[in-house]
Amino acid sequence: MLCMADTQQAEEQVEAAAGTAADKRAGRRTASLTKQIRAFAESHGGSAEGQLAHIGRGRVRIALVGANGEWGNLVADSLDSAKDAATASGITLQDDFDGDLAAKVRTGRYEWSRMAGIQVGGPANA
């Protein structure tokens, strides 16, 4: 027969195993984000800067601006994961996406036509 102590110990072991699995998934996701950030930086001038922003439900947007002005976004499952990936990839993190960082963003015809299409009755969104 199982006593209360045995049941509690079994529950703790299950919780520990579940926590370990979640930690492994989070570690793999952080490693994947790190790899994506490095690839972005390498393909856009050799370096990049970023800014982290909470977007809801615990998720964090990693806005990236390459040395050549190209930009992109990644989404992390947590602020810790985003910070760890940014640090491991070697990018510079900025507090805000304004001023110097925003001035480095290069937009092309596509972005301008999309903005005009949405706001001024230009081409329909497809």
Side-chain angles (χ1 to χ4, degrees):
M1 241 174 105
L2 290 175
C3 67
M4 183 68 156
D6 292 334
T7 304
Q8 184 177 3
Q9 184 179 11
E11 288 174 359
E12 288 171 359
Q13 289 173 347
V14 169
E15 288 174 7
T20 302
D23 292 342
K24 286 180 182 178
R25 278 192 304 275
R28 285 193 302 269
R29 179 66 178 142
T30 300
S32 176
L33 285 169
T34 301
K35 186 176 179 180
Q36 290 175 305
I37 293 169
R38 283 184 182 150
F40 177 88
E42 289 172 12
S43 66
H44 294 290
S47 65
E49 294 182 53
Q51 190 266 336
L52 307 180
H54 175 75
I55 57 173
R57 295 188 183 211
R59 295 186 172 259
V60 175
R61 176 185 68 137
I62 307 169
L64 299 168
V65 179
N68 65 356
E70 293 290 322
W71 57 278
N73 291 300
L74 294 170
V75 176
D77 294 330
S78 70
L79 181 59
D80 289 339
S81 179
K83 283 181 180 178
D84 291 347
T87 301
S89 66
I91 66 168
T92 303
L93 282 178
Q94 303 296 333
D95 292 331
D96 297 307
F97 199 98
D98 61 1
D100 293 335
L101 185 59
K104 293 177 184 179
V105 173
R106 188 185 76 198
T107 55
R109 283 183 62 148
Y110 172 77
E111 287 86 6
W112 283 102
S113 68
R114 293 286 294 165
M115 287 185 273
I118 292 169
Q119 296 177 1
V120 192
N125 293 337

